[in-house]
Amino acid sequence: MKWKKLVTLGCVVVMTVSSVTACGSNTTENQTVEATEQSEENQRDSVIVQVTAVDGDQITVDVGTLTTASADTSGNGAPGGDNSGNGVPGDAPSGDAPGGDNSGNGAPGEAPSGEAPGGEAPSGDAPGGDDSGNGAPSGDAPSGQMPGGSRFEASGESITFTLTDDTAITLEYLQGSGEGTADDIAVGSVLEVVLDEDNQAVSVTVRNLNAGGGFGGSSEVTNGTSANTITEDTEVDGETYTSTSDDENALRVDGAAVTLKDITIEKTAGASSNTEDGDFYGQNAGLLVLNGATATITGATVNTSVTNGNGVFSYGEGTVVNISDSTIRTTENNSGGIQTTGGGIMNATNLDVETQGNSAAAIRSDRGGGTVNVDGGSYVTNGTGSPAIYCTADISVSDATLTANASEGVVVEGKNSVALTDCDVTGNMSNTYNGDSDENIHCIMIYQSMSGDADVGEATFSAEGGSITAKTGDMFYITNTDCEITLKDVAFTLANDVFLRVEGNSSSRGWGTEGANGGDVTLTADSQEFTGNILVDEISSLALTMKNGTSYEGAINPDGAGGTVDVTLDDNSTWTLTGDSYIASFDGDTSNITANGYHLYVNGEQVL
């Protein structure tokens, strides 16, 4: 059937001031009015559907409605947030974010961009409530759905419609929306669709069922105030800058070219009125550089002991921070070591950074991203949801030690990149906030939160040389995103038998729609030795290439076929099976595979 408002096909009686026009004799004016009204009706006629099949541009869906979940007044339903703010909606009783104070500002974990009504969910780092989201500010949503979110209920009717080159596709984020593509429409996706009379899609909105929970943060840039501000080009040597007031920087460099040598920054008191403004715009940070300023900093000592006390913050297009041979210490939640947002640039050399709070990545970025280049130094975190790197930017790190003592080692969100060269990374994500058993434990996470903090698109992670050590959980976890991973000559130490897990999630944090939020991964192993199983679920895919002497010892989907897995093995590389393996295609010589008593199945057929 065609989903549009029913229009009577018989005579249409149009009354005017002077006459009544009979069927078949409408004036041009009346025809225009009628056509306009009909067009407006068609444009208003949206239908809620859930995708059951995708065949090229033909989309088959179940028709239904969305019902809104009621909030859990106990406060237990505010999922733990992340950079994404995914964990935000939901009430924290009396405004308390567990582990935080009555303001909610101390809430553990970074809820990237949101507030739990009745208290602030820090914004900032991601899954699991931190950078990772693990420290979710107000606890996890029990039952896999965030309070205030929606649930699709099918009516029993099915339709098929067509996508065209003119179809406008929109992605709904937890906050706001963005432009999408046909690739964002998958089996399980919940859509709001406007169709024309030929059942062609005029517009498609990919709905986020956890959107609309009510987020904090200013709609306008809010940097707060500053105890000391430099607005003219100058050089400073040996000065000390302090702050104890709310929403205040100890030092701000605004639109000037400034050299700062051997300075001391002390941000010892002063509350943050809104953690999102602190995460996005540098409010309450120790040192904030903005408005196209260039700050060159050497030999600095930066100490903060307040929420949103990010040590050194680069905000905005054209802003550049060059910092070297400096020490940064932060103790409270949402307080990264070096923070970059809004398109700023951060160049860091030989820093000694350590953070103690939750949602406090040592190398941290948030909404608007930017460019971060790190050379040498030590970067250590101790809080939950505080990876050594939380990335919503383009981040390159070389010859550095990156240690997360209670979180993932690295998190990449959305269409952004992390490139590691000769770095030593350690992740120890021992648990998620409140011990949510539905959360995956891992060392490196690549995902899309749908918060609006990171553009939707292919993420990139590369590592060459150095080492990556997982103290707990899987080595890699990819969900709700496309990504490209390149590995070359990295020494891996696994905590369990899973090297790579690519799968969907419960969507309890808003990371896509359950059943349609898997991962699509391209993994290239170049001159790389690695072990461990690779698990790809039914809504995910993997293209694995092993080349230039790569050696892999492990099984792929040992429990049976899952998603599409294509394996390419060059003549100089080997694969030793540690269990039966199920893949969709194989390009290579099976003589380079050691069966080891197990079997390899390609597209359902046993080849070894």
Side-chain angles (χ1 to χ4, degrees):
M1 84 179 269
K2 293 180 179 179
W3 270 88
K4 59 189 186 68
K5 286 188 181 294
L6 295 178
V7 178
T8 302
L9 298 180
C11 295
V12 178
V13 179
V14 181
M15 299 186 66
T16 67
V17 173
S18 60
S19 65
V20 177
T21 306
C23 180
S25 61
N26 289 4
T27 65
T28 301
E29 178 182 357
N30 287 334
Q31 288 173 342
T32 301
V33 170
E34 183 180 349
T36 299
E37 289 176 347
Q38 182 172 332
S39 174
E40 289 175 351
E41 281 191 347
N42 286 337
Q43 289 299 315
R44 289 195 301 269
D45 185 21
S46 65
V47 59
I48 299 297
V49 300
Q50 185 168 44
V51 179
T52 58
V54 177
D55 183 8
D57 59 3
Q58 300 295 303
I59 311 298
T60 301
V61 297
D62 288 336
V63 179
T65 58
L66 291 179
T67 59
T68 301
S70 59
D72 181 351
T73 55
S74 70
N76 294 328
D82 51 50
N83 229 316
S84 64
N86 301 323
V88 189
D91 289 335
S94 308
D96 287 340
D101 54 23
N102 287 336
S103 69
N105 295 329
E110 289 191 325
S113 45
E115 274 186 8
E120 271 187 54
S123 73
D125 300 352
D130 60 61
D131 262 18
S132 71
N134 302 324
S138 313
D140 291 326
S143 79
Q145 183 176 3
M146 296 196 318
S150 302
R151 180 180 291 107
F152 178 81
E153 293 187 359
S155 66
E157 185 168 10
S158 176
I159 62 173
T160 297
F161 64 85
T162 304
L163 297 176
T164 72
D165 292 340
D166 295 326
T167 302
I169 301 175
T170 301
L171 294 177
E172 183 180 38
Y173 301 144
L174 287 170
Q175 304 174 77
S177 61
E179 184 177 354
T181 69
D183 291 339
D184 297 312
I185 299 173
V187 173
S189 296
V190 174
L191 314 175
E192 182 173 353
V193 184
V194 174
L195 303 176
D196 65 15
E197 60 184 6
D198 297 319
N199 266 18
Q200 294 181 334
V202 175
S203 66
V204 175
T205 299
V206 182
R207 296 293 302 270
N208 188 318
L209 301 190
N210 288 323
F215 295 90
S218 301
S219 58
E220 298 181 356
V221 175
T222 305
N223 305 115
T225 61
S226 181
N228 303 278
T229 303
I230 300 175
T231 58
E232 296 182 357
D233 297 357
T234 189
E235 295 185 8
V236 177
D237 191 345
E239 292 290 332
T240 296
Y241 301 96
T242 64
S243 169
T244 58
S245 296
D246 298 349
D247 298 334
E248 182 182 71
N249 307 129
L251 175 62
R252 180 177 296 180
V253 178
D254 189 347
V258 176
T259 298
L260 304 171
K261 182 179 179 182
D262 297 331
I263 65 166
T264 298
I265 300 287
E266 297 284 350
K267 174 65 178 173
T268 58
S272 174
S273 62
N274 189 299
T275 53
E276 303 231 329
D277 291 338
D279 290 343
F280 298 162
Y281 312 126
Q283 179 175 284
N284 226 38
L287 169 58
L288 172 62
V289 184
L290 75 171
N291 290 331
T294 296
T296 300
I297 307 161
T298 59
T301 299
V302 180
N303 296 305
T304 73
S305 53
V306 296
T307 298
N308 280 139
N310 292 287
V312 177
F313 201 118
S314 177
Y315 172 73
E317 295 284 349
T319 298
V320 180
V321 174
N322 303 307
I323 180 169
S324 62
D325 302 310
S326 297
T327 300
I328 300 173
R329 297 288 186 268
T330 74
T331 64
E332 299 303 315
N333 297 336
N334 295 82
S335 299
I338 53 175
Q339 171 88 324
T340 307
T341 70
I345 295 173
M346 177 76 68
N347 299 313
T349 303
N350 194 33
L351 301 188
D352 178 358
V353 175
E354 185 167 1
T355 71
Q356 300 294 332
N358 300 322
S359 301
I363 300 169
R364 190 178 186 222
S365 64
D366 210 310
R367 182 164 292 185
T371 302
V372 181
N373 301 302
V374 177
D375 184 10
S378 172
Y379 302 82
V380 179
T381 67
N382 295 288
T384 301
S386 300
I389 300 174
Y390 188 85
C391 173
T392 60
D394 293 322
I395 299 178
S396 299
V397 185
S398 61
D399 298 300
T401 300
L402 306 163
T403 305
N405 288 317
S407 179
E408 303 97 329
V410 177
V411 174
V412 183
E413 179 181 354
K415 190 178 179 181
N416 294 293
S417 65
V418 167
L420 306 178
T421 304
D422 295 327
C423 292
D424 293 320
V425 180
T426 301
N428 188 22
M429 184 183 175
S430 57
N431 210 335
T432 58
Y433 188 67
N434 276 354
D436 184 357
S437 60
D438 290 334
E439 288 286 347
N440 194 61
I441 304 297
H442 43 268
C443 181
I444 296 174
M445 178 179 186
I446 304 172
Y447 84 122
Q448 170 55 256
S449 72
M450 305 306 296
S451 67
D453 292 346
D455 289 342
V456 174
E458 186 176 72
T460 303
F461 177 90
S462 66
E464 180 173 355
S467 66
I468 302 178
T469 299
K471 292 291 188 71
T472 53
D474 304 336
M475 179 58 70
F476 287 91
Y477 172 52
I478 289 85
T479 189
N480 196 41
T481 196
D482 298 344
C483 75
E484 180 177 351
I485 301 171
T486 303
L487 306 173
K488 184 175 183 178
D489 196 27
V490 182
F492 286 102
T493 301
L494 276 63
N496 62 19
D497 62 358
V498 177
F499 180 80
L500 171 66
R501 183 184 300 272
V502 188
E503 66 181 19
N505 64 83
S506 69
S507 78
S508 63
R509 295 186 189 279
W511 303 342
T513 300
E514 185 174 8
N517 55 8
D520 295 307
V521 178
T522 299
L523 170 59
T524 301
D526 183 354
S527 305
Q528 179 65 58
E529 293 184 7
F530 64 112
T531 63
N533 292 341
I534 293 174
L535 309 177
V536 182
D537 74 359
E538 293 82 357
I539 59 173
S540 301
S541 69
L542 169 67
L544 170 63
T545 297
M546 295 177 277
K547 64 182 185 179
N548 296 330
T550 288
S551 171
Y552 170 48
E553 183 175 341
I556 299 177
N557 282 344
D559 294 330
T564 301
V565 179
D566 301 312
V567 176
T568 299
L569 185 70
D570 79 359
D571 292 339
N572 298 316
S573 299
T574 61
W575 177 10
T576 300
L577 300 182
T578 60
D580 291 345
S581 296
Y582 296 80
I583 62 178
S585 70
F586 177 73
D587 182 1
D589 191 332
T590 56
S591 66
N592 284 20
I593 301 176
T594 300
N596 206 22
Y598 298 102
H599 300 290
L600 173 64
Y601 298 87
V602 179
N603 199 24
E605 295 186 7
Q606 181 182 326
V607 299
L608 282 178

